[in-house]
């Protein structure tokens, strides 16, 4: 066990031996001191330019402190005006950290990180008269976030909220000089500039994590206190929990244990696995390498059993995993960011770029243009290979099944040894489609029975996973099989100022990502639900029975 700054990291079993050699090498190479000094050469000459602009997260416990007072004042002003419902429009690193922070603190924050028209319409209709929208985009050009801003602007105006009252309804977080900063200032919105030297997935303790959380009522100063207390431990050569965890992640992956099973055992931190998943997968999954986080429902969930290609990591009190991590949330953010950067060094990859994400975005743009010119029919992925009740199966010839259960079993059989099955649901994650999340455990259990051993199944909601595990899917090891879920849109919601609706955008993102996966030779099957409720029930029944 390594304990320092209120954080402990405990390694057990094979993880101890495989980590020790790597840890000694990191120490002899002077990595702790170099990282404390923000030495951008740690990840090799090709990564130096990017790394030199992405190490500001190391100092956020101090540099974010000036935000606390003004944010508390702004939150108090809003509540005095009767504005107490806060909606966060952001993707990936701009939404996952605030979601963890507020859920852990028990504060209400509505996170809008989807293009599903049913979910968007429901959020727009919820307490609009009391709503403030936090628009968060580092680049200022995120298509989902731009679409959310547009529809909220329209909704406010239609409700008679205009002029200065409208200006008060938006808080914008972005990098200095971004297109969003310029347009937000012209509109008169409240703008908070983020640190440009902090990448999106390392931004938990920056304005992206703190602004929406503080407005929702969280004591973000306490988060920074927790991180500050721990930060000195990261400058230590020995008894450095971040260095130990990073060495363990990197050594395990380099040694063939490239799945990290993430579960919680009473830590009190809610939803941390989803945040850690995007940090680790997008940072390490490239050049055919990487650590694949598999977020589990708990330590008893299907898929947590020991496996030759996996290491279990648990937050909380649990003595039957390779890695156990304890510590407060503010410190945990910093710990895992540091460990991920160290793991990148061990694996020989740049942990600050995402080179394989753009293709899916380009495909989406091309599909939207085609839909504008030729109608929604241009978005179809061809005729289904099989129709079973309310479920269409688009397999691109990869399956020969005659029934839905047979198709699922064939898909499972495609997963290679030491591979994984990724479920990607372009559905409504907070409404009637929320039950789709049960597919991870059901598929893991069915896979384990069929294969006679542990099976690794991940689950992601689209399009938000495109801003996290989407990089690993395309740039990581070529051992993934992909199951995509889409569903019929009962009533599309137009995106103001754009020639398409949210449903069209959602389908373009799904089909665009499917094409990106198949272009890389990844087996990818799309199940389209002709009726979402019936189709999902049919799919769950096929797995349960």
């Amino acid at each position: 066990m390594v304990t320092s700054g209120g954080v402990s990291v405990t390694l057990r079993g094979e993880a101890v031996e495989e980590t020790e050699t790597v840890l000694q090498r990191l120490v002899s190479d002077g990595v702790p001191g170099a990282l404390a000094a923000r030495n951008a050469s740690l990840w090799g000459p090709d990564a130096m330019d990017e790394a030199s602009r992405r190490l500001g997260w190391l100092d956020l416990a101090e540099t974010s402190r000036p935000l606390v007072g003004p944010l508390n004042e702004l939150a108090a002003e809003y509540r005095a005006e009767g504005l107490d419902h806060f909606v966060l429009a952001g993707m990936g690193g701009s939404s996952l950290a605030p979601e963890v922070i507020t859920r852990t603190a028990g504060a209400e924050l509505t996170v809008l990180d989807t293009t599903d028209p049913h979910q968007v319409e429901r959020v727009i209709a919820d307490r609009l008269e009391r709503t403030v929208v936090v628009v968060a985009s580092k680049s200022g050009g995120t298509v989902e976030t731009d679409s959310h801003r547009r529809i909220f602007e329209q909704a406010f105006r239609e409700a008679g909220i205009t002029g200065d009252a409208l200006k008060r309804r938006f808080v914008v977080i972005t990098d200095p000089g971004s297109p969003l900063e310029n347009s937000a200032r012209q509109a008169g919105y409240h703008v908070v500039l983020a640190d440009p030297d902090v990448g999106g997935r390392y931004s938990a303790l920056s304005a992206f994590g703190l602004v929406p959380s503080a407005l929702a009522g969280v004591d973000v100063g306490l988060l920074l206190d927790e991180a500050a207390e721990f930060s000195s431990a990261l400058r230590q050569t020995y008894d450095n929990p971040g260095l130990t965890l990073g060495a363990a992640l990197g050594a395990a992956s380099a040694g063939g244990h490239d799945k990290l099973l993430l579960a919680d055992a009473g830590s009190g931190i809610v939803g941390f696995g989803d945040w850690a998943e995007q940090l680790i997968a997008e940072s390490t999954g490239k050049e055919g390498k990487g650590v694949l986080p598999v977020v589990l429902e708990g330590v008893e969930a299907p898929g947590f059993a020991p496996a030759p290609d996996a290491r279990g990591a648990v937050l909380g009190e649990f003595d039957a995993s390779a890695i156990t991590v304890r510590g407060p949330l503010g410190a945990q953010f910093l710990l895992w960011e540091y460990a991920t950067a160290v793991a990148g060094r061990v694996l020989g990859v740049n942990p600050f770029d995402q080179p394989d994400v753009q293709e899916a975005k380009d495909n989406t743009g091309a599909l939207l243009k085609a839909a504008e010119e030729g109608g929604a029919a241009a978005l179809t992925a061809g005729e289904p290979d099989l129709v079973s009740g309310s479920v269409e199966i688009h397999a691109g010839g990869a399956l020969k099944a005659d029934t839905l259960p047979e198709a699922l079993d064939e898909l499972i059989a495609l997963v290679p040894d030491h591979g994984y099955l990724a479920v990607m649901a372009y559905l409504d994650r907070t409404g009637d489609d929320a039950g789709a999340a049960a597919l991870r455990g059901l598929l893991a259990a069915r896979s384990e029975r069929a294969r006679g051993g542990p099976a690794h199944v991940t689950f992601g909601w689209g399009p938000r996973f495109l801003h996290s595990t989407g990089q690993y899917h395309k740039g990581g090891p070529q051992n993934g099989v992909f199951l995509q879920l889409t569903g019929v849109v009962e009533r599309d919601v137009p995106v103001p100022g754009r020639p398409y609706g949210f449903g069209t955008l959602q389908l373009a993102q799904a089909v665009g990502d499917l094409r990106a996966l198949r272009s890389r030779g990844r087996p990818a099957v799309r199940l389209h639900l002709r009726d979402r409720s019936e189709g999902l029930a049919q799919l769950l029944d096929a797995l349960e029975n």
Side-chain angles (χ1 to χ4, degrees):
M1 176 188 293
V2 178
T3 302
S4 188
V7 170
S8 70
V9 173
T10 304
L11 306 182
R12 299 180 184 85
E14 294 180 358
V16 177
E17 184 176 349
E18 70 187 6
T19 300
E20 187 59 34
T21 300
V22 172
L23 189 59
Q24 291 176 358
R25 186 171 75 245
L26 291 170
V27 169
S28 66
D29 289 346
V31 169
L35 195 46
R38 297 171 62 158
N39 186 337
S41 68
L42 280 170
W43 299 275
D46 293 340
M48 278 191 65
D49 180 60
E50 182 82 27
S52 67
R53 297 177 284 109
R54 291 292 179 262
L55 292 173
W57 53 273
L58 286 162
D59 304 318
L60 286 175
E62 290 78 32
T63 58
S64 288
R65 184 70 59 176
L67 290 171
V68 177
L71 285 176
N72 290 338
E73 293 175 7
L74 183 61
E77 289 174 8
Y78 276 132
R79 281 174 169 75
E81 297 169 20
L83 301 174
D84 59 0
H85 178 227
F86 297 92
V87 174
L88 171 59
M91 301 299 297
S94 298
S95 65
L96 289 166
E99 189 169 56
V100 174
I101 294 168
T102 53
R103 290 179 66 193
T104 299
E108 183 188 14
L109 177 69
T110 298
V111 176
L112 188 60
D113 58 355
T114 183
T115 48
D116 186 86
H118 307 103
Q119 189 173 339
V120 170
E121 187 174 48
R122 193 170 57 253
V123 172
I124 292 291
D126 182 22
R127 293 169 285 173
L128 189 66
E129 74 283 358
R130 294 160 47 192
T131 295
V132 174
V133 181
V134 181
V135 179
S137 171
K138 180 176 176 62
S139 67
T142 309
V143 64
E144 299 96 334
T145 306
D146 177 70
S147 301
H148 298 150
R149 175 188 59 80
R150 289 169 177 271
I151 196 166
F152 264 107
E153 287 175 336
Q154 174 179 280
F156 283 132
R157 291 190 179 106
E158 289 177 350
I161 301 170
T162 59
D164 290 342
L166 177 62
K167 296 175 184 178
R168 287 289 286 169
R169 297 305 186 98
F170 288 93
V171 176
V172 171
I173 314 165
T174 189
D175 273 7
S178 77
L180 180 56
E181 183 201 357
N182 297 331
S183 63
R185 293 199 186 280
Q186 290 174 6
Y189 299 154
H190 188 102
V191 176
V192 180
L193 293 179
D195 187 338
D197 290 336
V198 177
R201 55 189 179 272
Y202 291 80
S203 65
L205 297 174
S206 76
F208 287 104
L210 301 186
V211 172
S213 302
L215 294 180
V218 177
D219 181 359
V220 295
L222 176 60
L223 279 176
L224 295 180
D225 290 342
E226 294 167 351
E229 180 182 355
F230 174 62
S231 62
S232 60
L234 298 179
R235 294 189 285 272
Q236 299 170 178
T237 299
Y238 301 99
D239 296 325
N240 181 332
L243 194 70
T244 299
L245 181 58
L249 298 180
S253 183
H257 315 295
D258 61 352
K259 316 296 188 306
L260 180 69
L261 311 179
L262 288 170
D264 189 273
S267 73
I269 299 174
V270 183
F272 190 83
D274 289 341
W275 175 82
E277 177 187 51
Q278 60 95 30
L279 170 70
I280 298 166
E282 193 168 38
S283 296
T284 66
K286 55 203 72 171
E287 300 177 27
K289 310 173 187 177
V291 178
L292 177 66
V294 181
V295 181
L296 304 173
E297 299 81 5
V299 294
E300 302 297 329
F304 193 72
D309 59 342
R311 288 285 179 261
V314 174
L315 267 65
E317 304 296 326
F318 190 71
D319 295 330
S321 61
I323 305 168
T324 302
V325 182
R326 302 176 182 88
L329 179 55
Q332 291 261 18
F333 282 137
L334 189 53
L335 167 75
W336 287 88
E337 288 166 352
Y338 187 99
T340 300
V342 170
R345 157 90 180 190
V346 175
L347 293 173
V349 299
N350 176 1
F352 306 112
D353 68 352
Q354 47 283 330
D356 299 292
V357 169
Q358 191 60 41
E359 183 180 351
K361 294 181 180 180
D362 292 342
N363 288 349
T364 297
L367 286 163
L368 287 173
K369 184 174 178 60
E372 181 182 351
E373 297 172 350
L379 292 180
T380 61
E383 291 299 314
D385 296 79
L386 175 69
V387 177
S388 176
S390 295
V391 180
E392 294 179 1
I393 302 175
H394 297 258
L399 305 179
K400 300 177 181 178
D402 294 320
T403 68
L404 179 60
E406 288 177 2
L408 293 170
D409 287 338
E410 279 193 42
L411 185 71
I412 289 168
L414 289 176
V415 181
D417 292 340
H418 309 302
Y420 67 98
L421 172 62
V423 183
M424 308 168 296
Y426 286 83
L427 300 169
D428 179 354
R429 78 179 181 98
T430 63
D432 294 340
D433 303 337
L439 290 170
R440 195 217 68 79
L442 291 172
L443 280 163
R446 192 180 184 104
S447 300
E448 192 164 343
R449 290 193 300 270
R451 299 163 65 87
H456 305 300
V457 181
T458 67
F459 182 91
W461 293 101
R464 79 177 196 167
F465 79 85
L466 293 175
H467 299 258
S468 58
T469 51
Q471 166 61 42
Y472 186 99
H473 291 167
K474 302 170 190 71
Q478 180 118 338
N479 59 2
V481 174
F482 301 89
L483 175 61
Q484 184 186 90
L485 302 179
T486 58
V488 68
V489 171
E490 295 178 1
R491 183 176 62 258
D492 204 356
V493 177
V495 178
R498 293 287 185 257
Y500 51 79
F502 279 94
T504 302
L505 174 57
Q506 181 186 43
L507 186 56
Q509 290 176 310
V511 175
D513 191 46
L514 193 71
R515 291 182 178 179
L517 290 168
R518 288 177 174 172
S519 73
R520 287 168 165 76
R522 267 62 164 171
V525 172
R526 178 167 77 107
L527 301 185
H528 183 68
L529 311 181
R530 292 183 167 187
D531 178 290
R532 290 197 184 197
S533 178
E534 292 181 6
L536 186 56
Q538 183 183 342
L539 182 55
L540 293 171
D541 181 69
L543 288 169
E544 290 173 331
N545 300 307

